[in-house]
Amino acid sequence: MGKFAMNDREPPATGIRFTVGRDKSGRWIVNDAQGKVGGLFTDRASAVHFAMFESDHIPGAVWCLPEHVTLTLGEAFEPRRLSAASRVAGRA
C-alpha cells in the first residue's frame, strides 16, 4: 500500500458546505450552509484554507463565488443604528 490512501467517504448529501467570497468592503468571507461556522479573513488563501480544513477536504464542499458577486455574514453582523427609543441593557 502506498503512502497515500484513497478517501472512501462520500461527499456531503447537500453538496456545497462552505461558500467563499468577498463582501462589499472587499473582505473575504466564509459562510457555512448550516449557519454554524464562518468568518472574516484578510485574504482568499486563508479563507479557502479554513473552509477546506473545516470540510475535511471533501471534494465539492467548498465553492468560491465569482468576483462580481458579493457575500455577507448575515444580519447579525451588519451594523445597526439604535433608535432614540432603544435602551441599553441594565440602564433605566
Side-chain angles (χ1 to χ4, degrees):
M1 189 161 171
K3 183 175 166 183
F4 298 100
M6 287 294 282
N7 184 353
D8 59 353
R9 286 188 281 179
E10 293 292 321
T14 57
I16 299 167
R17 179 169 176 209
F18 289 98
T19 303
V20 177
R22 284 188 150 182
D23 67 3
K24 61 185 175 184
S25 299
R27 298 172 292 200
W28 288 96
I29 294 179
V30 174
N31 271 347
D32 178 21
Q34 299 171 0
K36 296 180 180 180
V37 180
L40 286 172
F41 296 86
T42 57
D43 56 67
R44 183 180 187 273
S46 297
V48 170
H49 181 268
F50 171 80
M52 293 294 292
F53 178 80
E54 288 295 317
S55 63
D56 295 327
H57 299 275
I58 296 172
V62 178
W63 181 49
C64 294
L65 292 174
E67 289 288 325
H68 66 278
V69 178
T70 58
L71 189 62
T72 64
L73 274 175
E75 198 175 293
F77 294 93
E78 296 297 320
R80 291 183 252 168
R81 294 183 184 205
L82 295 175
S83 68
S86 298
R87 292 183 172 182
V88 176
R91 293 191 180 176

